[in-house]
Amino acid sequence: GLIERLEGNWQDSGGELSGFAAKGRVVGLELAPQTAEQGMRPGFGGADIDFDFTRQGGRARVAVRQGRVDAPGLFEDPLIELEQLSGDVQWKMDGPHTSLTISDLHFGNADVQGVAQLKWQTDATTPLPGLIDLQGNLSRAEARRVFRYLPLPLSAQVRDYVRDAISTGTATQVRFKVKGALQDFPYTAPKSGEFRITANLQDVDYAYVPTTNPKPDGNTPSWPALSGLDGELVIDHTSLQVRGARSK
C-alpha cells in the first residue's frame, strides 16, 4: 500500500517504548491472512484506511473498492471478491482485555449486498479465540450462492445440501446472527450460543432430495424438483428447514 499521510510520536522510558500515537492514511493496502497457528487473521486487498491509534487502542475507517477478503479457515473457498466494502473499526487493549468493534459495515459483490456489525472480545476468562457477537442482513442475495457464505464449522452436510438443493432464484430479507464463544461454534450444546440464518426465497428451483446426496444404502428415490418456489429458509444451529414452501 501507499502511505499518503503519517503523523506520530513515541515516548521513551529508560530505553523502553512506553507509549506511542500515530494517525494517517494508507491507500491500496494488501495484507496476507494468518492461519490458526499464527493467530488467525483474515487478509484483504485493495483497502484504503484512515487510522488513528495509540498503544491502548484506536480507530479506523476502511473502504474497499474492487478488492477482496481472504479468510482461510472460515469459508471452504476462502477468497471473496468484493465490489465494495466500508466500515468503522474501533479496538481497545488493556492487558488480557481486548475488544474489537466493527460498525456500519456495508459490503457487496455479484452474489450479495448487505450490512452488518461485529463485536469481538477476549479476557482472562475468555481467551482466544474469544467471544463474538455478529449480526446483519442482506438486502439481496443469489439463492444458488448462499452456500458459498456458510462458515466451515457448520456441518458439511448442511453446506452441501444448500449447494445441491437450490439451483436458481433470489433470496431477500436475509438475516444472520452469531453470538457466543468462538470455540463452541456452531453451538450444538444447549445455551452455548446463538447461530441462526433466515432468508425469504423467491422463484427458486428446489430439489428436496438432491440426486447428489444419495442415501447410504444407495436407494435414493427420484423426487421431482419444485420450480418457482417461494418460502423461508431457516438454518438454526445445525438444523435446516424450508418453511411455508409454495410452488407456482
Side-chain angles (χ1 to χ4, degrees):
L2 173 65
I3 299 177
E4 285 194 342
R5 185 179 73 255
L6 177 63
E7 301 175 24
N9 60 75
W10 288 258
Q11 296 176 356
D12 187 292
S13 178
E16 294 185 2
L17 183 65
S18 59
F20 61 85
K23 61 180 178 179
R25 175 176 173 82
V26 180
V27 177
L29 181 64
E30 305 278 335
L31 182 67
Q34 289 184 345
T35 64
E37 293 78 11
Q38 298 171 319
M40 194 60 187
R41 183 197 65 204
F44 53 82
D48 299 342
I49 302 178
D50 292 278
F51 61 87
D52 184 352
F53 66 87
T54 68
R55 190 170 186 172
Q56 290 75 39
R59 61 188 180 188
R61 176 70 180 175
V62 180
V64 176
R65 294 288 184 273
Q66 302 302 324
R68 66 188 184 279
V69 171
D70 192 355
L74 182 58
F75 301 112
E76 186 171 352
D77 181 359
L79 190 62
I80 298 177
E81 301 293 338
L82 292 168
E83 293 176 1
Q84 61 89 15
L85 178 146
S86 63
D88 295 308
V89 183
Q90 290 186 314
W91 65 96
K92 295 180 181 179
M93 295 174 285
D94 182 12
H97 301 275
T98 303
S99 65
L100 171 73
T101 301
I102 302 177
S103 57
D104 197 29
L105 179 65
H106 292 258
F107 54 90
N109 60 17
D111 298 331
V112 299
Q113 186 82 34
V115 61
Q117 59 184 21
L118 166 71
K119 294 181 180 180
W120 172 85
Q121 64 182 19
T122 183
D123 55 37
T125 59
T126 55
L128 291 172
L131 297 170
I132 189 174
D133 185 347
L134 168 67
Q135 51 188 311
N137 63 79
L138 307 179
S139 57
R140 169 187 61 82
E142 291 294 325
R144 66 183 179 85
R145 297 285 291 169
V146 167
F147 81 93
R148 167 72 176 83
Y149 302 94
L150 298 177
L152 273 176
L154 186 63
S155 165
Q157 184 178 9
V158 171
R159 289 185 282 112
D160 291 347
Y161 180 84
V162 174
R163 179 196 63 197
D164 299 332
I166 300 175
S167 57
T168 62
T170 59
T172 60
Q173 299 182 46
V174 181
R175 295 180 175 85
F176 54 91
K177 183 173 185 178
V178 180
K179 186 175 182 180
L182 280 167
Q183 65 182 6
D184 298 329
F185 184 83
Y187 312 122
T188 54
K191 299 181 179 181
S192 60
E194 299 178 58
F195 173 54
R196 183 176 175 86
I197 301 173
T198 62
N200 289 343
L201 303 178
Q202 298 174 345
D203 202 22
V204 164
D205 286 350
Y206 176 56
Y208 182 71
V209 181
T211 56
T212 52
N213 286 279
K215 288 186 175 180
D217 60 10
N219 297 318
T220 302
S222 180
W223 289 83
L226 300 176
S227 299
L229 177 142
D230 295 342
E232 182 185 28
L233 173 69
V234 178
I235 298 176
D236 194 345
H237 295 81
T238 57
S239 69
L240 181 149
Q241 300 179 60
V242 176
R243 299 175 177 172
R246 304 175 301 281
S247 184
K248 300 174 183 177

